[in-house]
Amino acid sequence: MKSDSLKNGMQNAPHRALYHALGLTDEEISRPLVGIVSSYNEIVPGHMNIDKIVDAVKLGVAMAGGTPIVFPAIAVCDGIAMGHTGMKYSLVTRDLIADSTEAMAMAHGFDALVMVPNCDKNVPGLLMAAARLNIPTVFVSGGPMLAGHIDGGKISFSSISEAVGQYNAGKINEEKLHEFECKTCPTCGSCSGMYTANSMNCLTEALGMGLRGNGTIPAVYSARIELAKHAGMAVMDMLKKDIRPRDIMTEAAFTNALTVDMALGCSTNSMLHLPAIAHECGIEINLDIANGISEKTPNLCHLAPAGRTYIEELDEAGGVYAVMNELSKKNLLNLDCMTVTGKTVGENIEGCINLNHDVIRPIEKPYSETGGIAVLRGNLAPDGSVVKRSAVLPEMLVHEGPARVFECEEDAQAAINAGKIKPGDVVVIRYEGPKGGPGMREMLNPTSAIMGMGLGNSVALITDGRFSGATRGACIGHVSPEAASGGMIGIVEDGDIISINIPENKLELKVDADVIAERMKNFVPKQKKLTGYLKRYASLVSSGAEGAILK
């Protein structure tokens, strides 16, 4: 065991003295030391129940003969950080989480780890750390929130965001908005649609790094506690069999994850996180791979915000494994990939049938023959851009209109609220990329305002920033190169015609080539005065097309 070098022999008496200071017995010290990485805090609704999950994991580890020891990881609530400077600090925490977890695990010589994340950057950050450390590791999330209820129907976080747009448009009054406010998020857990947190927790199952139900069992269900105990037991089994993260997170496993991503209709943020996790495994994922996988992968789920079903219903329908079982019927998955169960993907999903064809479409009758996410290229995004195709209205799949250009999210939001955006417009928000933001802010407030004001069937939005998983509509993010790096999005002017063709994966600025060349020759990207961590981050971060990894 790795920890033996810290525990055994007379020379390690000082280490053992410190273990005794923790209240550990000789028996506990002699067993494998398993780090439990807890992202519990009292500000993120998806994390407020994680203390109970951690306690259950500890029991599972102890029952299987290990000694569990808890240490923390930070987490930002994207919903609370949204729409202000705080969102600059969301994506950047992914690397802080990976770095700090690596430091704690290496400094203390843990033999194995159980990661207990839940929301947004917390999940990919810990998956990146798992890949770096490459010691036996299992993931068990805090679980999704139950959907809210209003006027006899279910709602989720995107509903309250769009309700603000309805209020600004005079469609609902303050009393109704307050009702949405009180009923949208009824329990702890990661927000109830297929947003970034639930996307990444589901894809953790698809990668093979979490047990069945990791992405879908609701946070408030007792089955989540049982899952956590089994995760603790599973990591001890992995330790005995010496199964490690890089044995699981292979190139084929990432292809599986991208395939499941397309079938589920996950958040576009998965196109940032999967490449970053793969990079830590020594595997490079090009965005073009996504379109190749999308072309042959049917979209089987329309979970909120793309549709009217929620994660709790995906769980009742059979969960991620049922979706994978459907995909296997057309040989779209590599079934030989190893997982944290000690079994292959094929062994895990055998017999996991689809219990509700309204939630998970049968492979023969998908929502569409192509996947939920598309990568668009063209002169405006030569390195790529990303759209959640499954959440775009049919009439907006092909769109051409005049640009309305804004230098930051706040300016765009003010214009939308003031009714200055008209049907047919293409809203352009720039200098919000990984370097230019810095931190690549999510644009949920502008996109929700557009939808709430009834412009979703006539207005598109493009940005070098990114979108919340709660975003729906013709919203194209990750435009690369970004404005701060000299990308063409930086020379777009008001009134320029922008052409969007999602079925053909094209994003074009319809301006004469000579005019573009002249603008580019005179273009000097704007620079912001930065301090602290954001200054360091901006100097190291790569393009969104590369997963916004630090170099």
Side-chain angles (χ1 to χ4, degrees):
M1 292 188 300
K2 185 177 180 181
S3 64
D4 285 347
S5 63
L6 283 74
K7 300 185 304 188
N8 295 349
M10 295 303 103
Q11 74 279 4
N12 282 323
H15 293 153
R16 293 194 296 274
L18 292 169
Y19 292 140
H20 284 298
L22 295 171
L24 297 181
T25 64
D26 288 335
E27 292 81 3
E28 288 172 302
I29 295 169
S30 68
R31 296 169 184 165
L33 301 184
V34 180
I36 316 297
V37 187
S38 170
S39 59
Y40 168 79
N41 62 49
E42 294 183 342
I43 189 62
V44 184
H47 292 219
M48 61 180 286
N49 66 313
I50 279 177
D51 56 342
K52 296 176 178 60
I53 306 299
V54 167
D55 286 345
V57 171
K58 290 172 68 177
L59 279 172
V61 168
M63 284 190 289
T67 298
I69 301 174
V70 179
F71 65 89
I74 63 168
V76 163
C77 177
D78 278 21
I80 294 174
M82 199 80 66
H84 59 96
T85 300
M87 183 45 70
K88 295 178 186 288
Y89 286 88
S90 172
L91 179 61
V92 305
T93 64
R94 187 183 69 181
D95 295 276
L96 287 174
I97 291 161
D99 293 348
S100 59
T101 302
E102 175 192 1
M104 286 292 289
M106 292 300 294
H108 301 105
F110 288 108
D111 298 301
L113 296 171
V114 179
M115 306 292 199
V116 190
N118 210 22
C119 293
D120 298 300
K121 314 312 162 295
N122 194 244
V123 183
L126 290 178
L127 282 164
M128 289 164 67
R132 283 185 205 171
L133 293 162
N134 203 34
I135 59 176
T137 303
V138 173
F139 277 67
V140 56
S141 76
M145 185 183 291
L146 294 178
H149 294 80
I150 197 167
D151 298 332
K154 289 185 176 181
I155 56 172
S156 61
F157 189 69
S158 52
S159 305
I160 179 64
S161 299
E162 291 180 17
V164 174
Q166 292 174 323
Y167 173 77
N168 289 333
K171 295 182 178 182
I172 62 172
N173 59 24
E174 186 175 349
E175 183 180 2
K176 192 65 177 179
L177 180 61
H178 186 256
E179 185 182 358
F180 271 94
E181 180 183 325
C182 294
K183 294 181 177 179
T184 294
C185 299
T187 70
C188 61
S190 49
C191 296
S192 56
M194 187 53 81
Y195 308 143
T196 304
N198 291 327
S199 294
M200 291 309 301
N201 283 325
C202 287
L203 294 181
T204 299
E205 281 190 61
L207 271 174
M209 289 296 293
L211 300 177
R212 182 182 184 184
N214 177 69
T216 60
I217 297 172
V220 295
Y221 283 13
S222 297
R224 175 66 53 181
I225 301 295
E226 294 180 41
L227 181 73
K229 292 175 184 175
H230 283 126
M233 297 178 205
V235 82
M236 295 302 297
D237 188 54
M238 288 179 71
L239 185 58
K240 291 172 188 173
K241 295 176 179 175
D242 195 29
I243 299 172
R244 298 166 182 256
R246 289 186 210 167
D247 299 328
I248 296 168
M249 292 192 285
T250 61
E251 187 169 353
F254 282 101
T255 301
N256 280 351
L258 282 165
T259 302
V260 174
D261 188 333
M262 298 300 171
L264 285 173
C266 290
S267 163
T268 52
N269 283 313
S270 63
M271 293 294 102
L272 277 178
H273 300 321
L274 288 175
I277 299 160
H279 178 75
E280 297 290 350
C281 295
I283 300 165
E284 300 306 317
I285 294 179
N286 186 297
L287 283 183
D288 288 332
I289 296 172
N291 278 345
I293 293 172
S294 181
E295 285 170 10
K296 61 183 181 182
T297 306
N299 178 227
L300 304 181
C301 299
H302 267 190
L303 296 148
R308 297 182 180 276
T309 53
Y310 296 82
I311 300 296
E312 63 202 68
E313 290 159 313
L314 177 61
D315 186 63
E316 291 165 5
V320 176
Y321 277 18
V323 174
M324 295 175 76
N325 201 358
E326 288 289 343
L327 293 170
S328 71
K329 294 175 183 178
K330 287 196 174 180
N331 299 315
L332 294 173
L333 297 175
N334 186 318
L335 301 181
D336 295 326
C337 291
M338 179 53 60
T339 72
V340 293
T341 65
K343 298 178 181 178
T344 65
V345 167
E347 290 173 311
N348 284 345
I349 68 173
E350 186 176 358
C352 297
I353 61 172
N354 178 0
L355 300 173
N356 188 333
H357 291 183
D358 292 329
V359 177
I360 305 170
R361 288 280 184 92
I363 194 89
E364 302 84 8
K365 296 180 180 179
Y367 282 102
S368 65
E369 294 293 340
T370 53
I373 289 176
V375 175
L376 312 185
R377 290 184 187 269
N379 65 354
L380 196 50
D383 291 346
S385 59
V386 181
V387 62
K388 189 170 183 175
R389 174 166 45 192
S390 60
V392 179
L393 292 170
E395 58 266 39
M396 290 300 292
L397 290 170
V398 177
H399 179 77
E400 196 168 282
R404 296 296 312 280
V405 182
F406 302 95
E407 307 299 310
C408 65
E409 177 190 1
E410 287 86 352
D411 290 351
Q413 185 70 45
I416 296 166
N417 291 347
K420 295 180 180 179
I421 303 303
K422 305 302 180 187
D425 286 348
V426 178
V427 176
V428 177
I429 306 177
R430 61 194 180 197
Y431 292 101
E432 291 287 8
K435 284 185 179 294
M440 206 176 187
R441 286 197 289 182
E442 292 182 344
M443 303 290 151
L444 179 59
N445 286 349
T447 59
S448 296
I450 287 169
M451 297 301 294
M453 296 178 82
L455 296 171
N457 62 351
S458 61
V459 170
L461 189 153
I462 71 170
T463 179
D464 52 10
R466 61 195 176 93
F467 296 114
S468 164
T471 289
R472 64 189 178 102
C475 303
I476 301 161
H478 307 201
V479 171
S480 301
E482 61 177 291
S485 295
M488 197 184 293
I489 191 173
I491 57 110
V492 178
E493 296 182 0
D494 276 339
D496 287 350
I497 300 301
I498 293 175
S499 174
I500 300 165
N501 191 319
I502 295 172
E504 294 185 7
N505 303 313
K506 291 181 180 178
L507 179 62
E508 295 281 342
L509 178 64
K510 304 293 253 186
V511 172
D512 186 79
D514 292 339
V515 175
I516 289 175
E518 184 66 20
R519 289 185 193 174
M520 290 298 288
K521 184 175 72 173
N522 297 317
F523 176 40
V524 179
K526 296 179 180 179
Q527 301 293 325
K528 296 177 180 176
K529 287 187 176 182
L530 300 171
T531 59
Y533 180 52
L534 290 184
K535 181 177 182 179
R536 186 161 17 115
Y537 182 86
S539 70
L540 296 173
V541 71
S542 71
S543 163
E546 299 177 85
I549 58 175
L550 300 187
K551 291 187 174 181

